[in-house]
Amino acid sequence: RGEIYTKGSWGVSAHSSYVKRYKFRGSFDVSFLTTITGDKGSPDYSKMQNFQVIWSHQQDTKANPALNFSASVNFATSGYSRNDLNSYYNQNFTENTKSSTVNATYRRPGSKWSFSATANIAQRSQDSTLAVSFPNLTVTMSQLAPFKRKRSVGGERWYEKIKLSYSTAQQDVFFKKSLIKDWRNGMRHSVPVSATFSIFNYLNLSPSISLNDRMYTSKIRRQWDTQASREIQDTTHGFYNIFDFNASLAFDTKVYGFYKPMKFLGDKVQMIRHVITPTLSFNWNPDFGHPMWGYYDYYAYTDQAGKNHRVDYSYFSHGIFGVPGRGKSGSVSLNIANNLEMKVKDENDSTGSRKVSLIENLSLSSSYNFAADSLKLSPLQTSIMLRLVKNFNLNLSATWDPYVYKLDANGRERQVNRYRWQEGKGLYKLASTGTSFSYTFNNDTFKRKNKDDKKNNNASDNEEDETTEEESFSNRAEAKRRNKTGDSEEGSDSDGYAKWDCPWSLSVNYSINYGYGEFDKVKMDYKGKWTQNLSFNGNIRPTKNWNFSFSASYNFELKKIAYMNCSISRDLHCFTMTASFVPMGPYKSYNFHIAVKSSLLKDLKYDKRSQGSNNIRWY
C-alpha cells in the first residue's frame, strides 16, 4: 500500500501472513514514512523519515516438542506514531514504550537441562531511548533431589529432602565493534539449595543457601585528576569472577481459630473461622564491600573550597548483572498472613450452607537487621485483599515509615536513626499506598434471574427429557418448517412484538496512589500527595449493522479529559463504512473511511481526513 500528499509527504507499507500446517504461523508488517511540514525555504520547514516493523511468529507445539521458537517484534522510530495519520484513531497513539522479544528454547528430551537464547529491544518514544540486549543465553537445570534413593525403603529421610537447581545466563549489548572491549559481556550462575522439614508435627523448617556468581570481561578504576578537577576512569580488560552468597532459615505454621455466634443473634451465621499463618525467618550474608573481597574501592580529593571528600565506588558498577551489595546483614523477618471466612445458611446450596469471605488476605511484614550500623528496623509492609463481589477483588498495599527526618548541614532532609515514637509522632507514618481496579459493565451486569424463571426452565428441561424420540423428531421438523416459511417466533417477545437487542459494554480503569510530596521544614515531615488515573472505553450496537465505540482518559491535575477517540461504523453488506474522530485536544481531527469488505478488493476504498492535526496542515 502507499500514500502520497501534494506537499511531498509519502509513505509505503506492506503486510504478509504465512502459515505452514502443523509447523508454524506468523505475520509481518513494515511501514516507511517521509513527512514534510511547512514550505521549502521557510523557517518551519522540516523533513522527517520514520519506519515501523511488526513481526509475530508462533511455532506449533506438535512441530518439535524439544525446540521452540517464537518472536514478538514491535519496533518503530520515535516519531512514527506522531506522523502516522492512522495511529490518531487507535490506542497505539498513547503508547510510550515498545518492546520486542525473540526467543529460542531447547529442552533436551528426558533431561532436566534446558537452553534458551533471547534478544530484547526496549524503546521509549518520549525521549527516544533505545536499549538493545543480544544475545541473552540461559542454561537451566530443573530442581532435583541429589540424595534421593532410587529404591526407597521406609519413610523419607532428612537428607532426601535437600533439593538443588541451577541456572546460568550470559548477556551482551549489541551494536558494538569489539567483542571484548566494546561489548558489555556478562555471565551469571545461580545455585539455590533448599529443603523443608517438619518438626513437632505442626512446625515447618526451611533452610536454604543461595550462591550467585558473575563473570565480567572488564574492570573500571576511578580516581581524581587534581589538575583537571574531575574524575577519570581507567578500564582494564580481562576475566573477573565475582560471587556472593546468603543463607536463610524460615519457620512457619498455621493457627486456626473458630467462633460460633450467640443463639440470640440468630442462626443465619453458623461459624466464623480465622486462619493465621506466621512466618519467622533469619537471613545472613557478609559485607561484600569489605576490601578483602576486592569488589569496591574509593578515592579522596579536596575541592576548591578546601573541603575533603570521599567517593566510594565499585569496580563492576557497569556490569550487566550488577554487583554484590555492600553491608553485612543479619536480620530477622516476621510475616503474618490472615484469612477470615464466615459460613452462613443458604437454602439454594446443596449443602445447606455457603462460605463468605470477609478478609481474603491481610498480611503484615517487617524485618530487623542486627548487623546494620543504623536504621535497623525496616518499614512495615501491609496488604489486604477483599472480595467485594463475585468477580471483583479490592487489593490495597501500604508502606509505613518508622523513622523521623532531620535537615543535614546542606539543608536537605535526611532520615535519621531515631524512631517516631521517641519524638512523640506515633509509631509509624503512612509513606505510600495505592490501589487500582477495572470493571466492565454490560447487558448482563444488572440482570437477575428470578426463582420462577429457574423453576420454569427446570420444568421445561424435565418435559424435554420425558418426550419420546419420535415426538422430539416431529418437534424439530416443525421448527424447521417454520424457519423455511418465515413463521418463526424466535425474534418476538411475549406480546408478539419484535425483540430489540442492544449489546453494550463500558470498561472503567482507575488507579489511585499516595506518597511523599514536599517536605515541611516546620513540622520536619513530608506532606502527602495523591495521584489518580482514570481511563474508560465503551461500545454499543443499537442495531445489527451499527456500532459506536469510544475511549478516553481523564487528567486529574488539569481537571479535564486529556484524550478521547470516537468511532462510528456501519455494515453495508458488501461495504463497510467507518468514521473516526478526536473531538478535543491538540490532535483534534477526523477520518472517514469506506471500503469493500472482500479481501480481494480491500484496496478499493475511499478516505477523507481533516486538514488540521497537531497544528500540521495535510493536503
Side-chain angles (χ1 to χ4, degrees), residues 173 180-181 183-186 216-222 233-237 240 314-323:
V173 174
I180 301 298
K181 295 183 178 181
W183 284 30
R184 291 176 58 199
N185 303 289
Y216 295 136
T217 58
S218 62
K219 178 180 181 180
I220 297 180
R221 294 181 179 272
R222 302 179 183 180
Q233 299 180 358
D234 181 23
T235 303
T236 305
H237 298 282
Y240 302 96
S314 172
Y315 295 126
F316 309 98
S317 59
H318 64 291
I320 296 175
F321 299 113
V323 66

Side-chain angles (χ1 to χ4, degrees), residues 97-137:
T97 59
K98 296 181 183 293
S99 60
S100 303
T101 303
V102 179
N103 175 265
T105 303
Y106 174 73
R107 297 179 179 86
R108 186 177 177 183
S111 174
K112 293 183 176 293
W113 293 91
S114 64
F115 308 88
S116 177
T118 307
N120 297 316
I121 300 178
Q123 53 182 149
R124 292 177 56 186
S125 303
Q126 185 176 4
D127 53 6
S128 302
T129 302
L130 179 67
V132 181
S133 178
F134 170 78
N136 305 324
L137 305 176

Side-chain angles (χ1 to χ4, degrees), residues 250-266:
F251 300 87
D252 69 270
T253 186
K254 285 184 180 294
V255 180
Y256 296 87
F258 297 91
Y259 172 72
K260 190 172 183 179
M262 300 295 180
K263 291 185 178 180
F264 66 86
L265 296 178

Side-chain angles (χ1 to χ4, degrees), residues 432-459:
S432 65
T433 185
T435 185
S436 63
F437 63 87
S438 62
Y439 198 81
T440 300
F441 301 89
N442 52 35
N443 301 71
D444 299 329
T445 303
F446 305 103
K447 283 185 177 180
R448 292 184 178 179
K449 199 168 185 180
N450 298 326
K451 295 181 179 180
D452 295 338
D453 296 338
K454 293 182 179 179
K455 293 179 179 179
N456 294 335
N457 292 336
N458 295 334

Side-chain angles (χ1 to χ4, degrees), residues 471-486:
E471 292 174 348
S472 177
F473 178 80
S474 62
N475 292 337
R476 290 196 299 268
E478 179 65 18
K480 188 174 181 181
R481 183 192 64 79
R482 289 185 177 182
N483 291 334
K484 286 184 178 181
T485 58

Side-chain angles (χ1 to χ4, degrees), residues 329-357:
S329 176
S331 62
V332 55
S333 302
L334 176 64
N335 180 78
I336 301 177
N338 298 267
N339 175 266
L340 192 63
E341 291 181 336
M342 177 174 63
K343 182 183 288 188
V344 297
K345 279 188 176 183
D346 190 355
E347 297 178 355
N348 298 324
D349 196 284
S350 58
T351 60
S353 62
R354 61 184 176 90
K355 292 182 180 180
V356 178
S357 175

Side-chain angles (χ1 to χ4, degrees), residues 366-381:
S366 185
S367 64
Y368 190 87
N369 189 358
F370 292 95
D373 297 331
S374 61
L375 305 177
K376 296 182 178 181
L377 182 63
S378 69
L380 176 65
Q381 305 288 340

